[in-house]
């Protein structure tokens, strides 16, 4: 076990209660976009010191924390351009990086997979179908790709109709793929969509609209969705199985992005991208 270093990155800014939820906030990240929790660790993708999600500047990195939010390794994996959504399959951390899907061995930290996606503009999130297949969203083109990891090939699963904006966060649920959408130009509202993986039919789920980013299920089966809101006054929403929407009682957040719900600990992790912080909620 590696020694946990006391860094500014892991300092608790505040411990408070929002409604009946205990919250902790950790500062010192570099435009954190996505959180992924394994059985032991919390991984955070950092776009870099400048909040520029499309800059090929080689200053992005992945941080490794314990489940209490203490930093184990600030730049656990580094030298990436602008890493965003992540998933782990068979000990490999897959992460999207603008127009490339990369894979890193979690033990050695070495890159073991690299697949450019032709024509990609804004690769954003990953969902796992099985040990051989990933779904990858491209907010810029509106396409959700289906990636075969064994032969490093991909095909279009669906192209989201332009009136719904581009697919951002992804979440697989049985025979459905849920995506929340976002307009990179900041002009129109995104929606919560369900995609039937058998017939590829797309339906709108709930009345929630906005610049939507992250999506996860909580312990009760409610859908949690983050929205950037207006003027960086972002929020977290809960949607029940019938599509009813409720805003979660939290202070405004600047850039709540790709969330992760740790069902082992009943804990939600929210990267606040424009605040260089991570929020941990116990509920």
């Amino acid at each position: 076990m590696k020694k946990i270093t006391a860094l500014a990155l892991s300092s608790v800014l505040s411990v408070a209660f929002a409604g009946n939820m205990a919250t902790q906030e950790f500062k010192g990240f570099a435009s954190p976009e996505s959180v992924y929790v394994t059985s032991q660790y919390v991984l955070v993708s950092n776009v870099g010191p400048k909040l520029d999600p499309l800059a090929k500047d080689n200053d992005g990195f992945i941080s490794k924390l314990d489940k209490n939010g203490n930093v184990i390794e600030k730049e656990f994996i580094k030298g990436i351009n602008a890493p965003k959504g992540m998933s782990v399959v068979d000990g490999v951390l897959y992460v999207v990086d603008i127009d490339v899907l990369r894979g890193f061995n979690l033990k050695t930290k070495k890159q073991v997979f690299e697949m450019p996606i032709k024509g990609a503009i804004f690769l954003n999130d990953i969902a796992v179908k099985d040990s051989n297949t990933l779904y990858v969203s491209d907010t810029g083109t509106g396409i959700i790709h289906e990636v075969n990891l064994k032969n490093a090939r991909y095909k279009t699963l669906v192209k989201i109709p332009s009136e719904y904006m581009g697919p951002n966060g992804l979440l697989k649920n049985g025979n459905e793929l849920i995506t929340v959408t976002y307009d990179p130009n900041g002009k129109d509202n995104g929606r919560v969509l369900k995609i039937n993986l058998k017939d590829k039919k797309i339906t709108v789920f709930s009345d929630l609209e906005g610049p939507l980013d992250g999506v996860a299920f909580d312990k009760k089966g409610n859908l949690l969705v983050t929205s950037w809101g207006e003027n960086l006054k972002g929020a977290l929403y809960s949607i029940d199985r019938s599509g009813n929407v409720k805003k979660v009682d939290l202070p405004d957040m600047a850039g709540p992005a790709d969330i992760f719900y740790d069902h082992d600990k009943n804990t939600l992790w929210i990267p606040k991208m424009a605040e260089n912080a991570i929020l941990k909620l116990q509920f």
Side-chain angles (χ1 to χ4, degrees):
M1 181 179 292
K2 293 185 178 180
K3 182 178 179 182
I4 297 174
T5 307
L7 299 173
L9 180 59
S10 66
S11 61
V12 178
L13 176 68
S14 62
V15 179
F17 285 86
N20 61 348
M21 296 177 293
T23 69
Q24 290 178 286
E25 188 176 65
F26 306 95
K27 298 287 285 185
F29 294 88
S31 308
E33 201 281 336
S34 180
V35 176
Y36 187 90
V37 182
T38 72
S39 60
Q40 295 177 288
Y41 306 114
V42 178
L43 301 170
V44 179
S45 65
N46 295 261
V47 165
K50 183 180 179 181
L51 206 172
D52 189 344
L54 299 180
K56 295 185 176 182
D57 48 17
N58 207 43
D59 66 355
F61 58 93
I62 309 294
S63 299
K64 183 180 182 180
L65 320 176
D66 68 15
K67 290 197 174 185
N68 293 317
N70 298 305
V71 173
I72 296 172
E73 202 167 348
K74 177 180 178 180
E75 295 187 359
F76 172 60
I77 295 170
K78 57 185 178 180
I80 318 173
N81 289 310
K84 300 178 187 70
M86 302 176 287
S87 286
V88 174
V89 178
D90 294 336
V92 176
L93 174 69
Y94 292 94
V95 56
V96 288
D97 187 15
I98 304 176
D99 55 3
V100 178
L101 174 64
R102 305 185 190 278
F104 298 89
N105 184 298
L106 282 173
K107 290 184 178 179
T108 66
K109 301 187 286 185
K110 291 182 179 179
Q111 182 168 298
V112 295
F113 185 92
E114 181 179 60
M115 191 185 73
I117 295 182
K118 186 177 180 180
I121 296 174
F122 193 164
L123 299 182
N124 210 321
D125 201 14
I126 297 173
V128 177
K129 176 183 179 182
D130 53 44
S131 61
N132 185 50
T133 313
L134 302 179
Y135 298 120
V136 174
S137 62
D138 186 342
T139 309
T141 64
I143 294 172
I144 297 177
H145 300 279
E146 183 174 313
V147 177
N148 186 307
L149 296 174
K150 287 186 178 179
N151 61 25
R153 294 183 179 180
Y154 60 92
K155 62 182 180 180
T156 297
L157 175 73
V158 293
K159 182 174 172 57
I160 302 300
S162 59
E163 62 263 31
Y164 296 139
M165 305 302 112
N168 193 338
L170 295 177
L171 180 64
K172 186 176 181 296
N173 182 38
N175 291 320
E176 290 182 327
L177 184 66
I178 299 170
T179 184
V180 296
T181 64
Y182 182 91
D183 178 9
N185 297 314
K187 296 179 180 179
D188 294 304
N189 285 330
R191 303 299 300 270
V192 181
L193 305 177
K194 288 187 174 182
I195 302 160
N196 186 306
L197 291 172
K198 292 182 178 180
D199 61 16
K200 310 302 187 295
K201 183 179 179 181
I202 300 171
T203 56
V204 177
F205 179 66
S206 92
D207 294 329
L208 180 63
E209 297 186 24
L212 309 181
D213 199 316
V215 58
F217 280 116
D218 70 10
K219 64 183 179 182
K220 297 180 180 178
N222 296 314
L223 199 64
L224 301 175
V225 177
T226 54
S227 172
W228 281 56
E230 295 183 2
N231 301 315
L232 291 180
K233 293 183 178 180
L236 175 69
Y237 293 89
S238 176
I239 308 174
D240 67 19
R241 291 179 176 85
S242 299
N244 300 308
V245 181
K246 184 174 89 170
K247 185 177 179 181
V248 179
D249 184 16
L250 291 170
D252 293 338
M253 296 176 282
D258 188 17
I259 57 178
F260 193 99
Y261 192 90
D262 182 1
H263 288 269
D264 290 337
K265 300 289 186 180
N266 294 332
T267 301
L268 179 69
W269 297 81
I270 305 176
K272 300 200 288 184
M273 198 172 180
E275 295 182 41
N276 296 320
I278 300 290
L279 188 65
K280 176 185 176 184
L281 306 178
Q282 190 78 37
F283 75 106

